[in-house]
Amino acid sequence: MSVVQNFYGEIAVRYQSKSAIAYFFRNFWHLVPWSVVSAVLLGLFCNNNTVIVVYHDFIAGNITAENVATTVLNYAGVLRFGQYWWGVLVALVVFSFTESLLMVKVERHMRVGEMKAFPFRRALSLMPTVFVFVLCVTAVLECLNLIVVGIAFLLQSFGVTAVLWTSAALLVLVKVLLMLLIGTLLVAFPIMILENYSFNQALSYSVRLMSEKRRFLWLLATLYPLTEIVLTVISALIDVYAVTVTLFSLMYLVGIALMPSVTFKLYYDSVGGERRDISCVMFG
Protein backbone atom coordinates (compact mmCIF):
# COMPACT_ATOMS: atom_id res chain seq x y z
CA MET A 1 0.00 0.00 0.00
CA SER A 2 1.23 3.50 -0.79
CA VAL A 3 -0.04 7.00 -0.11
CA VAL A 4 -0.45 9.74 -2.73
CA GLN A 5 -1.13 13.42 -2.15
CA ASN A 6 -3.71 15.35 -4.17
CA PHE A 7 -5.84 18.50 -3.83
CA TYR A 8 -8.22 16.78 -1.42
CA GLY A 9 -5.53 15.38 0.84
CA GLU A 10 -3.91 12.01 1.24
CA ILE A 11 -5.36 9.00 -0.56
CA ALA A 12 -4.27 5.43 0.18
CA VAL A 13 -3.53 3.33 -2.87
CA ARG A 14 -3.61 -0.46 -2.66
CA TYR A 15 -2.51 -2.53 -5.64
CA GLN A 16 -4.09 -5.86 -6.44
CA SER A 17 -2.19 -8.94 -5.40
CA LYS A 18 0.22 -10.40 -7.97
CA SER A 19 -0.19 -13.96 -6.71
CA ALA A 20 -1.42 -16.64 -9.09
CA ILE A 21 -4.19 -17.63 -6.66
CA ALA A 22 -5.48 -14.05 -6.51
CA TYR A 23 -5.34 -13.81 -10.30
CA PHE A 24 -7.26 -17.09 -10.58
CA PHE A 25 -10.12 -15.83 -8.41
CA ARG A 26 -10.20 -12.35 -10.00
CA ASN A 27 -10.58 -13.92 -13.42
CA PHE A 28 -12.50 -17.05 -12.39
CA TRP A 29 -15.20 -16.77 -15.07
CA HIS A 30 -12.61 -16.13 -17.79
CA LEU A 31 -10.68 -19.30 -16.94
CA VAL A 32 -12.79 -22.01 -15.30
CA PRO A 33 -15.67 -22.40 -17.84
CA TRP A 34 -13.15 -23.10 -20.62
CA SER A 35 -11.53 -25.79 -18.48
CA VAL A 36 -14.62 -27.89 -17.74
CA VAL A 37 -14.64 -30.17 -20.80
CA SER A 38 -10.95 -30.99 -20.52
CA ALA A 39 -11.24 -31.61 -16.77
CA VAL A 40 -14.18 -34.00 -17.20
CA LEU A 41 -12.37 -35.97 -19.92
CA LEU A 42 -9.24 -36.29 -17.80
CA GLY A 43 -11.39 -37.22 -14.80
CA LEU A 44 -13.02 -39.98 -16.85
CA PHE A 45 -9.91 -41.49 -18.42
CA CYS A 46 -7.03 -40.49 -16.13
CA ASN A 47 -8.26 -41.14 -12.60
CA ASN A 48 -6.81 -43.56 -10.06
CA ASN A 49 -9.65 -46.06 -10.24
CA THR A 50 -7.17 -48.82 -11.14
CA VAL A 51 -5.40 -48.26 -7.81
CA ILE A 52 -8.74 -48.64 -6.02
CA VAL A 53 -9.43 -51.88 -7.90
CA VAL A 54 -6.04 -53.26 -6.82
CA TYR A 55 -6.76 -52.26 -3.21
CA HIS A 56 -10.09 -54.10 -3.17
CA ASP A 57 -8.56 -57.16 -4.87
CA PHE A 58 -5.81 -57.18 -2.23
CA ILE A 59 -8.35 -56.97 0.61
CA ALA A 60 -10.40 -59.76 -0.99
CA GLY A 61 -7.30 -61.97 -1.27
CA ASN A 62 -7.45 -62.13 -5.07
CA ILE A 63 -3.80 -61.10 -5.48
CA THR A 64 -1.25 -63.85 -4.94
CA ALA A 65 2.54 -64.09 -5.15
CA GLU A 66 2.13 -65.61 -8.61
CA ASN A 67 0.03 -62.80 -10.12
CA VAL A 68 1.10 -59.73 -8.12
CA ALA A 69 3.64 -58.48 -10.68
CA THR A 70 1.18 -59.03 -13.51
CA THR A 71 -1.38 -57.09 -11.52
CA VAL A 72 1.04 -54.14 -11.26
CA LEU A 73 1.64 -54.40 -15.01
CA ASN A 74 -2.09 -54.37 -15.78
CA TYR A 75 -2.95 -51.51 -13.44
CA ALA A 76 0.18 -49.31 -13.48
CA GLY A 77 1.49 -49.73 -17.03
CA VAL A 78 -0.06 -48.61 -20.31
CA LEU A 79 -2.38 -51.63 -20.19
CA ARG A 80 -4.43 -49.82 -17.52
CA PHE A 81 -6.16 -47.83 -20.25
CA GLY A 82 -7.43 -51.00 -21.95
CA GLN A 83 -9.96 -50.48 -24.73
CA TYR A 84 -10.35 -46.82 -23.75
CA TRP A 85 -6.86 -45.77 -24.92
CA TRP A 86 -8.56 -43.58 -27.52
CA GLY A 87 -10.30 -41.67 -24.74
CA VAL A 88 -6.94 -40.79 -23.20
CA LEU A 89 -5.73 -39.50 -26.57
CA VAL A 90 -8.87 -37.37 -26.99
CA ALA A 91 -8.45 -36.04 -23.45
CA LEU A 92 -4.83 -35.05 -24.17
CA VAL A 93 -5.80 -33.27 -27.41
CA VAL A 94 -8.58 -31.32 -25.70
CA PHE A 95 -6.28 -30.55 -22.77
CA SER A 96 -3.62 -29.21 -25.13
CA PHE A 97 -6.09 -26.91 -26.87
CA THR A 98 -7.56 -25.74 -23.55
CA GLU A 99 -4.15 -24.87 -22.11
CA SER A 100 -3.18 -23.11 -25.36
CA LEU A 101 -6.36 -21.04 -25.21
CA LEU A 102 -5.94 -20.12 -21.55
CA MET A 103 -2.27 -19.25 -22.00
CA VAL A 104 -2.90 -16.80 -24.85
CA LYS A 105 -5.78 -15.26 -22.87
CA VAL A 106 -3.62 -14.80 -19.77
CA GLU A 107 -0.62 -13.65 -21.80
CA ARG A 108 -2.58 -10.86 -23.45
CA HIS A 109 -4.21 -9.84 -20.19
CA MET A 110 -0.90 -9.55 -18.33
CA ARG A 111 0.86 -7.88 -21.27
CA VAL A 112 -1.72 -5.25 -22.31
CA GLY A 113 -4.36 -5.41 -19.58
CA GLU A 114 -7.08 -6.81 -21.85
CA MET A 115 -8.40 -10.35 -22.09
CA LYS A 116 -10.03 -11.56 -25.28
CA ALA A 117 -12.99 -13.88 -24.92
CA PHE A 118 -11.93 -16.48 -27.47
CA PRO A 119 -8.56 -15.97 -29.25
CA PHE A 120 -9.07 -19.07 -31.39
CA ARG A 121 -6.38 -18.46 -34.04
CA ARG A 122 -3.59 -17.76 -31.57
CA ALA A 123 -4.61 -20.77 -29.47
CA LEU A 124 -4.63 -22.99 -32.54
CA SER A 125 -1.15 -21.83 -33.57
CA LEU A 126 0.24 -22.61 -30.10
CA MET A 127 -1.56 -25.94 -29.71
CA PRO A 128 0.86 -28.17 -31.72
CA THR A 129 3.77 -27.16 -29.48
CA VAL A 130 1.72 -27.71 -26.34
CA PHE A 131 0.51 -31.09 -27.64
CA VAL A 132 4.07 -32.27 -28.39
CA PHE A 133 5.10 -31.20 -24.89
CA VAL A 134 2.13 -33.07 -23.36
CA LEU A 135 2.95 -36.20 -25.38
CA CYS A 136 6.60 -36.08 -24.31
CA VAL A 137 5.65 -35.70 -20.64
CA THR A 138 3.15 -38.58 -21.00
CA ALA A 139 5.85 -40.73 -22.62
CA VAL A 140 8.24 -39.99 -19.74
CA LEU A 141 5.50 -40.94 -17.25
CA GLU A 142 4.78 -44.24 -18.98
CA CYS A 143 8.49 -45.11 -19.24
CA LEU A 144 8.95 -44.48 -15.51
CA ASN A 145 5.86 -46.58 -14.80
CA LEU A 146 7.36 -49.42 -16.83
CA ILE A 147 10.48 -49.25 -14.67
CA VAL A 148 8.23 -49.64 -11.62
CA VAL A 149 6.60 -52.66 -13.28
CA GLY A 150 10.04 -54.17 -13.92
CA ILE A 151 10.98 -53.71 -10.27
CA ALA A 152 7.70 -55.38 -9.28
CA PHE A 153 8.66 -58.47 -11.30
CA LEU A 154 12.12 -58.50 -9.68
CA LEU A 155 10.56 -58.34 -6.20
CA GLN A 156 7.86 -60.92 -6.87
CA SER A 157 9.56 -63.54 -4.70
CA PHE A 158 9.31 -61.25 -1.63
CA GLY A 159 5.53 -61.61 -1.46
CA VAL A 160 2.39 -59.68 -2.27
CA THR A 161 2.60 -57.02 0.44
CA ALA A 162 6.22 -56.12 -0.29
CA VAL A 163 5.59 -55.82 -4.04
CA LEU A 164 2.43 -53.72 -3.69
CA TRP A 165 3.82 -51.31 -1.08
CA THR A 166 7.10 -50.89 -2.96
CA SER A 167 5.24 -50.31 -6.22
CA ALA A 168 2.94 -47.77 -4.57
CA ALA A 169 5.88 -45.86 -3.08
CA LEU A 170 7.72 -45.88 -6.39
CA LEU A 171 4.63 -44.66 -8.28
CA VAL A 172 4.38 -41.72 -5.88
CA LEU A 173 8.08 -41.03 -6.46
CA VAL A 174 7.40 -41.10 -10.21
CA LYS A 175 4.75 -38.38 -9.78
CA VAL A 176 7.19 -36.30 -7.72
CA LEU A 177 9.86 -36.57 -10.44
CA LEU A 178 7.30 -35.78 -13.13
CA MET A 179 6.15 -32.64 -11.32
CA LEU A 180 9.77 -31.51 -10.91
CA LEU A 181 10.25 -31.96 -14.65
CA ILE A 182 7.06 -30.09 -15.56
CA GLY A 183 7.83 -27.31 -13.09
CA THR A 184 11.34 -26.89 -14.44
CA LEU A 185 10.06 -26.47 -18.01
CA LEU A 186 6.89 -24.54 -17.15
CA VAL A 187 8.14 -21.07 -18.06
CA ALA A 188 9.13 -22.15 -21.58
CA PHE A 189 5.73 -21.17 -22.97
CA PRO A 190 5.75 -17.52 -21.78
CA ILE A 191 9.33 -17.22 -23.03
CA MET A 192 8.35 -18.59 -26.42
CA ILE A 193 5.21 -16.43 -26.71
CA LEU A 194 6.58 -13.15 -25.34
CA GLU A 195 10.21 -13.27 -26.45
CA ASN A 196 9.84 -15.19 -29.72
CA TYR A 197 12.34 -17.87 -28.76
CA SER A 198 12.26 -21.22 -30.48
CA PHE A 199 10.77 -23.92 -28.27
CA ASN A 200 14.16 -25.61 -27.70
CA GLN A 201 15.72 -22.30 -26.66
CA ALA A 202 12.72 -21.54 -24.45
CA LEU A 203 13.08 -24.89 -22.69
CA SER A 204 16.75 -24.22 -21.99
CA TYR A 205 16.00 -20.71 -20.71
CA SER A 206 13.18 -22.06 -18.52
CA VAL A 207 15.57 -24.53 -16.87
CA ARG A 208 17.93 -21.65 -15.99
CA LEU A 209 15.14 -19.45 -14.60
CA MET A 210 13.42 -22.21 -12.63
CA SER A 211 16.69 -23.39 -11.07
CA GLU A 212 16.24 -20.37 -8.78
CA LYS A 213 12.66 -21.36 -7.85
CA ARG A 214 13.45 -24.49 -5.88
CA ARG A 215 10.85 -23.74 -3.21
CA PHE A 216 8.10 -23.60 -5.84
CA LEU A 217 9.37 -26.76 -7.55
CA TRP A 218 9.27 -28.79 -4.35
CA LEU A 219 5.89 -27.34 -3.43
CA LEU A 220 4.52 -28.48 -6.80
CA ALA A 221 6.24 -31.86 -6.56
CA THR A 222 4.75 -32.43 -3.10
CA LEU A 223 1.29 -30.92 -3.47
CA TYR A 224 0.16 -32.82 -6.58
CA PRO A 225 1.04 -36.36 -5.39
CA LEU A 226 -0.45 -35.64 -1.96
CA THR A 227 -3.67 -34.39 -3.57
CA GLU A 228 -3.87 -37.56 -5.67
CA ILE A 229 -3.29 -39.73 -2.60
CA VAL A 230 -6.00 -37.97 -0.59
CA LEU A 231 -8.53 -38.19 -3.43
CA THR A 232 -7.68 -41.85 -4.03
CA VAL A 233 -8.16 -42.71 -0.35
CA ILE A 234 -11.52 -40.89 -0.25
CA SER A 235 -12.61 -42.62 -3.46
CA ALA A 236 -11.59 -46.04 -2.10
CA LEU A 237 -13.56 -45.48 1.10
CA ILE A 238 -16.69 -44.35 -0.74
CA ASP A 239 -16.16 -46.89 -3.54
CA VAL A 240 -18.49 -45.24 -6.07
CA TYR A 241 -16.99 -44.74 -9.53
CA ALA A 242 -18.96 -41.55 -10.16
CA VAL A 243 -17.45 -40.03 -7.02
CA THR A 244 -13.95 -40.93 -8.20
CA VAL A 245 -14.55 -39.27 -11.56
CA THR A 246 -16.06 -36.19 -9.91
CA LEU A 247 -13.21 -35.74 -7.42
CA PHE A 248 -10.49 -36.12 -10.04
CA SER A 249 -12.38 -33.88 -12.47
CA LEU A 250 -12.46 -31.15 -9.82
CA MET A 251 -8.74 -31.58 -9.22
CA TYR A 252 -8.02 -31.29 -12.94
CA LEU A 253 -10.40 -28.32 -13.25
CA VAL A 254 -8.49 -26.31 -10.67
CA GLY A 255 -5.12 -27.39 -12.09
CA ILE A 256 -5.99 -26.57 -15.71
CA ALA A 257 -7.43 -23.15 -14.89
CA LEU A 258 -4.65 -22.27 -12.44
CA MET A 259 -1.66 -23.43 -14.49
CA PRO A 260 -1.49 -20.47 -16.94
CA SER A 261 -1.74 -18.00 -14.04
CA VAL A 262 1.14 -19.72 -12.24
CA THR A 263 3.20 -19.99 -15.42
CA PHE A 264 3.02 -16.33 -16.39
CA LYS A 265 3.32 -15.14 -12.78
CA LEU A 266 6.60 -17.08 -12.51
CA TYR A 267 7.80 -15.61 -15.80
CA TYR A 268 7.13 -12.01 -14.80
CA ASP A 269 8.68 -12.57 -11.36
CA SER A 270 11.80 -14.03 -12.99
CA VAL A 271 12.38 -11.42 -15.72
CA GLY A 272 10.99 -8.44 -13.81
CA GLY A 273 8.57 -7.32 -16.52
CA GLU A 274 5.63 -5.00 -15.91
CA ARG A 275 2.21 -6.61 -15.60
CA ARG A 276 -0.63 -4.53 -17.04
CA ASP A 277 -3.40 -6.62 -15.44
CA ILE A 278 -2.65 -5.20 -12.00
CA SER A 279 -4.85 -2.26 -11.08
CA CYS A 280 -4.99 -0.18 -7.95
CA VAL A 281 -7.81 0.62 -5.54
CA MET A 282 -7.80 4.12 -4.04
CA PHE A 283 -9.49 4.98 -0.79
CA GLY A 284 -9.07 7.54 1.92
Side-chain angles (χ1 to χ4, degrees):
M1 183 184 296
S2 59
V3 176
V4 297
Q5 183 81 27
N6 71 355
F7 179 78
Y8 298 101
E10 290 186 345
I11 298 177
V13 177
R14 180 170 58 84
Y15 287 90
Q16 292 177 326
S17 172
K18 292 185 177 181
S19 78
I21 300 293
Y23 183 91
F24 169 78
F25 283 109
R26 282 200 304 268
N27 299 280
F28 186 88
W29 296 111
H30 289 283
L31 301 173
V32 172
W34 296 109
S35 309
V36 171
V37 174
S38 180
V40 171
L41 287 173
L42 288 171
L44 277 170
F45 297 109
C46 301
N47 56 57
N48 276 1
N49 190 61
T50 53
V51 176
I52 298 169
V53 172
V54 171
Y55 167 75
H56 287 299
D57 283 347
F58 174 69
I59 296 299
N62 297 329
I63 301 177
T64 64
E66 289 73 27
N67 66 12
V68 63
T70 306
T71 299
V72 175
L73 172 63
N74 290 333
Y75 292 112
V78 292
L79 295 179
R80 69 187 182 278
F81 300 123
Q83 61 181 330
Y84 298 110
W85 61 268
W86 58 269
V88 178
L89 185 59
V90 170
L92 294 181
V93 171
V94 175
F95 170 76
S96 300
F97 176 75
T98 302
E99 282 301 330
S100 301
L101 177 67
L102 295 181
M103 277 195 284
V104 297
K105 284 168 70 71
V106 171
E107 179 272 328
R108 180 178 175 83
H109 191 210
M110 290 190 178
R111 179 170 54 86
V112 301
E114 177 184 286
M115 184 182 289
K116 281 192 172 182
F118 189 58
F120 178 77
R121 291 179 63 182
R122 290 192 66 205
L124 209 58
S125 66
L126 180 62
M127 181 185 167
T129 304
V130 176
F131 184 57
V132 169
F133 179 78
V134 170
L135 284 182
C136 290
V137 170
T138 304
V140 170
L141 172 63
E142 295 308 324
C143 288
L144 291 174
N145 284 346
L146 282 177
I147 293 174
V148 174
V149 171
I151 293 173
F153 275 97
L154 291 175
L155 297 177
Q156 192 166 2
S157 60
F158 288 91
V160 173
T161 303
V163 172
L164 290 181
W165 277 107
T166 303
S167 298
L170 289 174
L171 288 172
V172 171
L173 178 61
V174 163
K175 292 295 175 67
V176 170
L177 294 175
L178 192 72
M179 288 300 106
L180 288 174
L181 173 65
I182 293 173
T184 302
L185 303 177
L186 203 57
V187 186
F189 293 101
I191 293 170
M192 186 179 68
I193 296 170
L194 290 166
E195 302 189 23
N196 295 317
Y197 278 46
S198 70
F199 191 51
N200 289 337
Q201 291 174 323
L203 289 172
S204 177
Y205 192 10
S206 178
V207 171
R208 293 203 302 273
L209 291 179
M210 294 305 295
S211 64
E212 302 174 2
K213 303 286 185 181
R214 294 178 183 176
R215 185 177 178 181
F216 165 78
L217 291 177
W218 284 109
L219 177 63
L220 179 66
T222 305
L223 186 60
Y224 178 75
L226 282 177
T227 303
E228 273 207 349
I229 291 170
V230 170
L231 295 185
T232 303
V233 170
I234 293 173
S235 299
L237 292 174
I238 298 175
D239 195 22
V240 177
Y241 182 68
V243 172
T244 303
V245 171
T246 301
L247 289 176
F248 277 84
S249 295
L250 288 173
M251 180 190 73
Y252 287 124
L253 182 66
V254 174
I256 292 168
L258 186 59
M259 190 182 301
S261 312
V262 172
T263 302
F264 280 89
K265 193 265 184 187
L266 286 169
Y267 169 79
Y268 278 100
D269 285 352
S270 299
V271 302
E274 181 186 359
R275 283 176 54 179
R276 298 296 180 87
D277 64 296
I278 302 297
S279 60
C280 60
V281 180
M282 294 187 293
F283 55 96

